[in-house]
Amino acid sequence: MAIAATTGLDNTVERPGERAPLVLGNTTYHTITESVSSIAEQPPSKLWVLGFLVSASLASMFGLLIAYLIYNGVGVWGNRDPVFWGWPIVNFVFWVGIGHAGTLISAILFLFRQEWRTSINRAAEAMTIFAVVCAGTFPGIHVGRAWLAYWLAPYPSLNLWMWPQFRSPLLWDVFAVSTYGTVSLLFWYMGMVPDLATFRDRSKNKWRRMAYGILALGWCGSSRHWMRYEKAYALLAALAAPLVLSVHTIVSFDFAVSQVPGWHTTIFPPYFVAGAIFSGFAMVLTLMIPSRSIFKLEHLITVRHLENMCKIILATGSIVGLAYGTEFFIAWYGQVPAEQFAFINRAFGPYWWAYWTMITCNVISPQLFWFKRMRTDPVLIFIVTIFVNIGMWFERFVIVITSLSRDYLPSAWGYFSPTWVDWGMLIGSFGLFFTLFMLFCRFMPIINMAETKATLAHQLRHASHHVTEH
Amino acid sequence: MSDSNNQSTHGMMAEFDSVDSLLAAARRIRDAGYTKIDAYTPFAVHGIDDALGIKPTKLPWITLTGGVIGALTALAMQIWMNSINYPYIISGKPYISLPAFIPVAFELTILFASFGSFFGMLALNRLPRFSNPVFTNPRFDLATDDKFFLYVDAKDARYDGEGVARLLGDSGAASVDPVVEDETPTEVPKIFFTLAGVLAMVAIIPVLVVAMMRVTTSSQPRFHVFYDMDFSPAKDAQQVTTLFADGRVMRPDVPGTVIRSEDGFDIDFQTGVDMEALAAMDPARAEHLVRLVAQAPADEAAPADEAAGDQVADAQAAGGASEPVDNTPWLQDNPLEVDAELLATGQEKFNIYCAVCHGVSGRGTGLVHLRAQRIQSPTWVQPSSLHQDILYANNYADGKLFSVITNGIRKMPGYGAQISASDRWAIVAYVRALQLSQNAEESDVPAGQRAAVAQAE
C-alpha cells in the first residue's frame, strides 16, 4: 500500500544525497483525496462562516461605494490637482502585483521542476485571479465615466469613428492585464479539471454531482487524456512564464514612459517585476499559513514549503532594496536637478513617513529571513508577510503620490489627502478578495490532489529504491 | 462469451491497487498483442505512455499556430487601425511604429497560443463528454481517488471477452468487469429547457424595448440613463439658483471692485458727447445714455452707447440728402493731450483697425475695398475718403468722429467693443493729423523739420 511514513520528520533539514519529502505523515493517495475533498464536503466551520460574513459585508460595501462613485463622479475620491492618480491607481498596481505570485509559482517553478510547488500552486493561482479581479476594478472605475469603459476595446465604434491609440502604455496595460487574467483563469481551471472530477465522483447528492460534473467536463482520467493534458499544462506554463514577467513590465511602462521625475526611469520594469513577486509571495503566505492550520493541511503544505517561499521573499526583497538604492544612485549620477529633487523629496519631503514605512517593511523586514528560525516558524513568517504587504502598498503610494504632488512647477504642488471613499474602497477591495478566496476554499479543491499524488508516487518510488539499494 | 453479449459491452475494465501493478499489467497486455487499450488513473502516471504505446500529441503545433495567428492578428489590427484607417501621429513616430506595437502583439500571441493549448487539448481529448460508458461501473468513481484501471476495448481485433478477463485477472487485477452500454437517459432534464426558455424570454425584453423605441416616435424627451454631457448645468442670466443665498444667478460686483480699464470713468470721455449740455437740451436722451453707459464697465460701454450713434444716423436719414440735422452737443476737442506718443498709438491702432477699409492714407482704398472691386461685389459701399471737407475738424466735431468709431455709421460697423476708449481718442487724434498731412503747405511743417520732409519726398 502506498504510504509515506514520515510522521514527525523535519523536512527542512537537507540530507546530502536524499530528497527531502514534500508530503508528510502517514499519507496515502486516498488520505490526500480525503483531506482535500472533505474541506468542501463538510458543513462550513464557524470560523469560516464568521470570516465569510465579515469579508462579504466588506465586499458589499465596495459594491455600494462603486455605485456611489458612479452616481456622483470621481470627485468623491481624494484625486485633486495635481495628484490625479490617487489611491485607485495605487490599489491597482498593488493588486496586480499580488497577482503575480500565483502564475509564477505555477508556471516558472513548474518549468524549473520545483516539485514543492504542487501543494501550494492551486491556492496561489486562485489568489492570482482574485487579485486580478480587484486590480481590474480600479482602472475600470477610474476612467471617470465607468459605463464607457468599453471604449478601451478596439471595436468599430459608430459614435467615435476612431480606434484606441496603440502607442500608449495605458492601452498596453489593458491588453496585458486582460490577457493575464484570461490566461491565469485558463491555467487555474485546467489545473482543476481532474480534481473537480474527483469531487464529482465523491458527490453523494445528484445536483452536486451534476454541478461538479459539468465543471469537470467529463474528465475520466484516461492515459491519453493525461498525456495531452500534461502537454497542454507544460505549454501553458511556458506561455505564462514570459507573460507573468511582461505584465508588471507593462504596468511599469505606465509610469516609465511618462516624463514625470521619479517615474521616467529604465529600471522600472525589473524593479516592478521583482516587487510584484515579492508582494505576491508575501500574500500567498499570508493566506496559506492560516488556511493550512484551519483546514488541517500541515502534512501537505509543510514547513519546507513555507521556508522555500521565505527564501524567495528574501531574494526578491533584496532585489527591491537594491532597486531603491539604484534609483538614488542614478538620480545623483544623472545630475538632472528635477530627478534629484524628486528622490530627496521622497525620502525627506512631506511624505517621508510613507517612504520610511516602505523601507522598513520592504527592505529591512525580509532580511530577518536570513535566520532559519524566522523561516520555519509559521507565526513569525505570518507577521513578516503582513509587514511586506503593507510595505508594498506603500511602495506604490510613494511612487504615485510623491512624484505627482511635486511636479516641475512649484505653483502646481499639492498634498494628497484620501477621502473616506478612498479608505472604504481599499478596505472593500480586501473584502472582495477574501470573499472570493473563502468561496474558493469552500467549493473548490484548494490543493492540487492529482499532482500531489504524483509527487507522493515519486517519493514512494525513491523510498523503495533506497530500500533496495541498501 | 456470445456475440450478442459482445455488442452491449464496450470492453473489459480491470482495477489495480498500485502504479506498479498497473504498469506491469499494461506491459503484459500489450505484449499479448492488444492495441486498443487504455488506462484510467487518478494522476498522470510516469511510464504509462510507453507501457500502452501512446504516441506523442500534435498539440504543440496547435499552440504554435495559435501563437502565430495571435501575432499576425495583433500586428494587422494595430497597423490597420492606427496607421491606415485612422492614422494617428503620436510623438512624431512613424505611422507604422513597430516597436510601439510589440507589447500588444506579445500579449495577443500569448493569449491565442494559450487558447490553442487549452481548447486544442479539449478538442483532441474530445471533451467535454458527459456520457461515457466507463462511468457505468460505480467502482470507477475511484479512478479519480486512489485506484488504477486498465481497459481493453471490444473493438480490438484480439478481443474475446473471457480470455481478456482471464489475462487481466492473472496480471494482478483486484477485480475485472465488463464495461456495458450506459443505459441512463442521455437527454438533458426538462427543467433545464424550461429555465433556458424563461431566461431567453426575459433576456429578449430589453432588446424588444430598444427595437420598439427605434421605430416609434415619442413626444417624451429622450431617456437618459447617464447624462454624460448632454445637459449643461450653466444658468441663464435671469434664472434663479439655489447656489447663492439671494437666489440670483447674476452676481453683483464684489464691494471694492476696481474697473479694469485704465480710463477711469467719465461719461463725456466714453460717449464723445457733452452730457451736461445734452441734459439741458434733451434730458430724456441724456438720462438714457448715462444709464446705459454707466451699467457696463468702461471697456464694454460700446453697445449701450449705440443709442447715440443710432440717433445720429436717424437724424441724418430724416434730415434729407443734403443737410443732415445733428444738434448733438459733441465734444469739439480731443479730451486727451495730443502729443507724439498719442499720435503714435493712434497710428498703430488706425493701421490695425481702419486701414483695411479706409487705406493707410485714409483715401477709402484699403485692401478690403480693392478686393470688393476685384470681385465686383454688388453690395459693397466704398469706405468714405477721410479727406473731405465735411469730415474736417471745423465741420466734424472730434466727439462725433469718436462716436462713429465707437458705434459705426450706416454701412460701417462700430469698433467700440474692440478698441478701448482712450485708443479710440488716439485714433481720432491721428485721423486729424492724417487729414492735415494731405493738405499741408510747406509752411505748416515746423522750420526745423522741413529738410527731413524734403528728403523723404
Side-chain angles (χ1 to χ4, degrees):
Chain A
M1 200 61 221
I3 295 180
T6 44
T7 326
L9 188 102
D10 179 4
N11 68 342
T12 63
V13 184
E14 302 292 343
R15 290 192 187 75
E18 225 177 280
R19 264 172 202 258
L22 292 165
V23 179
L24 297 180
N26 290 326
T27 306
T28 64
Y29 299 134
H30 182 67
T31 56
I32 293 177
T33 315
E34 261 321 306
S35 44
V36 178
S37 313
S38 61
I39 298 170
E41 286 160 358
Q42 281 158 7
S45 66
K46 286 212 182 66
L47 203 60
W48 185 90
V49 174
L50 185 75
F52 182 77
L53 284 180
V54 172
S55 21
S57 18
L58 291 179
S60 332
M61 176 184 81
F62 191 34
L64 291 176
L65 283 178
I66 291 176
Y68 178 74
L69 171 96
I70 290 178
Y71 185 77
N72 285 288
V74 287
V76 300
W77 278 326
N79 301 8
R80 297 279 184 285
D81 191 19
V83 184
F84 285 118
W85 277 12
W87 279 24
I89 297 300
V90 175
N91 296 343
F92 160 69
V93 182
F94 172 72
W95 281 117
V96 171
I98 297 284
H100 274 60
T103 311
L104 187 102
I105 290 176
S106 307
I108 297 185
L109 297 188
F110 175 83
L111 295 178
F112 285 125
R113 299 183 190 279
Q114 296 292 308
E115 278 187 11
W116 58 272
R117 71 180 257 291
T118 36
S119 50
I120 51 167
N121 72 333
R122 172 69 45 73
E125 285 166 35
M127 184 203 78
T128 287
I129 288 156
F130 306 147
V132 172
V133 168
C134 293
T137 312
F138 282 102
I141 53 182
H142 193 255
V143 294
R145 290 192 281 164
W147 54 97
L148 296 179
Y150 64 89
W151 281 4
L152 294 168
Y155 71 105
S157 156
L158 295 180
N159 285 328
L160 304 171
W161 288 108
M162 61 201 290
W163 304 101
Q165 206 273 85
F166 282 101
R167 296 173 189 101
S168 157
L170 298 182
L171 186 95
W172 302 344
D173 223 12
V174 173
F175 276 81
V177 174
S178 54
T179 301
Y180 186 57
T182 314
V183 173
S184 303
L185 193 69
L186 281 186
F187 201 37
W188 177 59
Y189 176 61
M190 199 180 95
M192 270 193 309
V193 165
D195 289 349
L196 288 168
T198 306
F199 275 23
R200 171 199 64 201
D201 291 343
R202 284 174 60 94
S203 333
K204 307 274 179 304
N205 161 325
K206 180 179 162 200
W207 292 106
R208 193 180 162 90
R209 197 177 182 97
M210 197 177 288
Y212 283 118
I214 290 171
L215 287 175
L217 302 173
W219 182 261
C220 59
S222 150
S223 289
R224 288 192 170 70
H225 289 187
W226 271 119
M227 187 265 299
R228 297 193 189 101
Y229 174 89
E230 294 245 284
K231 186 60 98 186
Y233 198 84
L235 285 169
L236 274 185
L239 290 167
L243 176 66
V244 110
L245 301 181
S246 84
V247 175
H248 229 50
T249 299
I250 289 179
V251 170
S252 81
F253 285 164
D254 289 348
F255 301 92
V257 174
S258 79
Q259 284 162 12
V260 178
W263 287 8
H264 188 63
T265 52
T266 46
I267 199 182
F268 261 25
Y271 155 28
F272 267 52
V273 170
I277 297 168
F278 179 56
S279 67
F281 269 86
M283 188 57 100
V284 174
L285 281 171
T286 312
L287 293 177
M288 298 307 280
I289 291 173
S291 313
R292 77 196 263 277
S293 71
I294 291 172
F295 299 125
K296 311 246 170 318
L297 295 171
E298 285 99 339
H299 59 300
L300 298 178
I301 303 171
T302 67
V303 175
R304 188 182 177 87
H305 291 96
L306 304 184
E307 195 194 357
N308 283 349
M309 286 193 271
C310 290
K311 287 178 184 165
I312 291 186
I313 289 185
L314 174 58
T316 47
S318 305
I319 297 178
V320 167
L322 181 67
Y324 296 158
T326 311
E327 279 189 315
F328 266 88
F329 172 76
I330 294 293
W332 166 76
Y333 187 69
Q335 287 294 310
V336 178
E339 201 71 24
Q340 291 179 337
F341 170 76
F343 283 95
I344 299 287
N345 177 56
R346 266 189 198 176
F348 306 108
Y351 296 101
W352 62 270
W353 48 272
Y355 185 82
W356 294 106
T357 310
M358 167 185 103
I359 292 286
T360 316
C361 296
N362 288 355
V363 184
I364 300 174
S365 77
Q367 300 304 323
L368 293 171
F369 286 150
W370 285 108
F371 304 102
K372 180 150 181 153
R373 164 129 178 62
M374 289 300 300
R375 296 196 304 262
T376 48
D377 183 335
V379 177
L380 294 179
I381 300 176
F382 184 77
I383 295 171
V384 172
T385 61
I386 296 284
F387 274 105
V388 172
N389 288 328
I390 296 174
M392 284 310 290
W393 189 86
F394 270 100
E395 180 195 296
R396 279 61 176 250
F397 177 88
V398 166
I399 292 174
V400 173
I401 311 279
T402 56
S403 282
L404 282 182
S405 67
R406 288 287 179 273
D407 212 331
Y408 286 108
L409 270 185
S411 62
W413 288 359
Y415 190 84
F416 176 86
S417 338
T419 62
W420 64 273
V421 181
D422 280 308
W423 281 103
M425 284 200 170
L426 175 61
I427 297 168
S429 66
F430 274 94
L432 176 62
F433 179 73
F434 285 117
T435 306
L436 293 172
F437 193 78
M438 298 197 84
L439 285 175
F440 160 76
C441 287
R442 185 76 195 90
F443 295 105
M444 295 285 152
I446 67 169
I447 287 189
N448 192 333
M449 292 184 273
E451 263 191 44
T452 313
K453 287 174 196 168
T455 312
L456 179 61
H458 198 78
Q459 196 170 310
L460 289 169
R461 178 138 8 131
H462 259 269
S464 64
H465 277 283
H466 269 278
V467 171
T468 45
E469 275 166 27
H470 293 293
Chain B
M1 206 170 268
S2 67
D3 265 349
S4 65
N5 233 348
N6 252 349
Q7 273 160 0
S8 64
T9 56
H10 284 265
M12 202 59 75
M13 182 76 85
E15 181 185 324
F16 296 87
D17 278 339
S18 72
V19 177
D20 292 337
S21 51
L22 172 79
L23 284 174
R27 282 195 206 97
R28 202 162 154 192
I29 294 283
R30 187 140 173 265
D31 289 346
Y34 292 94
T35 49
K36 292 198 180 341
I37 49 180
D38 201 355
Y40 297 90
T41 55
F43 54 86
V45 169
H46 246 304
I48 193 80
D49 297 357
D50 276 346
L52 294 176
I54 297 175
K55 286 191 227 55
T57 168
K58 51 181 182 286
L59 188 63
W61 294 104
I62 302 181
T63 305
L64 179 68
T65 316
V68 171
I69 293 177
L72 294 179
T73 309
L75 287 177
M77 172 177 82
Q78 296 182 81
I79 292 174
W80 190 73
M81 288 177 183
N82 274 191
S83 320
I84 297 170
N85 185 258
Y86 196 104
Y88 281 115
I89 302 178
I90 303 292
S91 10
K93 295 192 182 88
Y95 284 130
I96 300 182
S97 35
L98 283 177
F101 292 163
I102 289 176
V104 170
F106 175 84
E107 298 300 329
L108 286 198
T109 308
I110 299 277
L111 184 68
F112 281 44
S114 305
F115 282 151
S117 321
F118 179 71
F119 294 110
M121 184 274 286
L122 288 188
L124 291 176
N125 282 348
R126 305 206 194 290
L127 292 176
R129 177 183 178 195
F130 296 109
S131 171
N132 189 338
V134 297
F135 291 140
T136 47
N137 185 346
R139 282 204 68 79
F140 191 75
D141 280 353
L142 297 177
T144 55
D145 182 2
D146 62 346
K147 295 291 185 255
F148 305 83
F149 291 83
L150 190 60
Y151 172 71
V152 182
D153 199 288
K155 290 198 202 77
D156 195 290
R158 289 170 160 267
Y159 186 82
D160 60 347
E162 305 230 310
V164 175
R166 208 173 316 113
L167 185 58
L168 285 169
D170 291 349
S171 322
S175 68
V176 182
D177 293 297
V179 172
V180 293
E181 185 64 57
D182 189 357
E183 302 291 355
T184 51
T186 50
E187 67 261 21
V188 182
K190 281 234 171 51
I191 176 101
F192 279 105
F193 288 107
T194 323
L195 275 179
V198 170
L199 216 67
M201 303 280 239
V202 173
I204 210 165
I205 292 176
V207 183
L208 286 179
V209 169
V210 169
M212 197 190 75
M213 296 295 214
R214 285 250 152 196
V215 295
T216 52
T217 54
S218 162
S219 56
Q220 295 297 307
R222 192 155 80 89
F223 179 65
H224 289 263
V225 183
F226 292 108
Y227 280 4
D228 288 329
M229 292 182 197
D230 293 354
F231 304 103
S232 164
K235 292 278 187 181
D236 286 337
Q238 308 296 332
Q239 286 179 329
V240 178
T241 178
T242 52
L243 229 52
F244 300 106
D246 63 2
R248 287 165 46 147
V249 166
M250 300 190 60
R251 308 311 303 153
D253 290 335
V254 179
T257 304
V258 180
I259 294 174
R260 234 177 41 196
S261 140
E262 76 282 16
D263 293 339
F265 193 79
D266 175 348
I267 190 76
D268 294 5
F269 188 83
Q270 296 294 331
T271 57
V273 177
D274 181 347
M275 207 51 79
E276 254 171 54
L278 184 66
M281 283 163 51
D282 186 349
R285 187 176 161 210
E287 198 194 335
H288 180 69
L289 270 183
V290 170
R291 195 157 7 91
L292 286 180
V293 177
Q295 277 203 349
D299 273 358
E300 295 148 30
D305 207 8
E306 219 149 339
D310 282 355
Q311 201 136 4
V312 178
D314 291 351
Q316 285 169 342
S322 52
E323 279 299 302
V325 185
D326 176 17
N327 52 9
T328 313
W330 299 112
L331 293 184
Q332 287 303 321
D333 297 314
N334 201 322
L336 296 177
E337 190 192 331
V338 178
D339 54 12
E341 198 188 332
L342 185 74
L343 286 177
T345 311
Q347 181 179 31
E348 188 195 348
K349 301 295 169 190
F350 181 90
N351 287 344
I352 292 173
Y353 293 106
C354 319
V356 283
C357 289
H358 288 281
V360 180
S361 66
R363 295 204 175 276
T365 51
L367 288 174
V368 176
H369 173 65
L370 297 181
R371 165 104 183 128
Q373 278 185 319
R374 166 112 41 98
I375 62 170
Q376 300 181 329
S377 164
T379 54
W380 180 249
V381 175
Q382 179 169 14
S384 320
S385 166
L386 302 178
H387 306 293
Q388 309 175 46
D389 251 1
I390 50 156
L391 296 180
Y392 288 162
N394 45 349
N395 296 324
Y396 207 87
D398 275 4
K400 187 168 175 184
L401 183 50
F402 178 87
S403 173
V404 166
I405 300 174
T406 308
N407 305 304
I409 188 163
R410 299 188 299 275
K411 279 288 188 180
M412 176 181 148
Y415 289 88
Q418 275 144 285
I419 313 173
S420 72
S422 49
D423 283 351
R424 273 176 268 150
W425 282 115
I427 292 176
V428 169
Y430 178 71
V431 168
R432 290 297 176 228
L434 204 60
Q435 287 171 337
L436 265 183
S437 76
Q438 299 301 309
N439 303 291
E441 303 290 318
E442 199 176 352
S443 57
D444 292 341
V445 181
Q449 317 236 319
R450 278 179 204 159
V453 172
Q455 210 176 11
E457 283 169 2

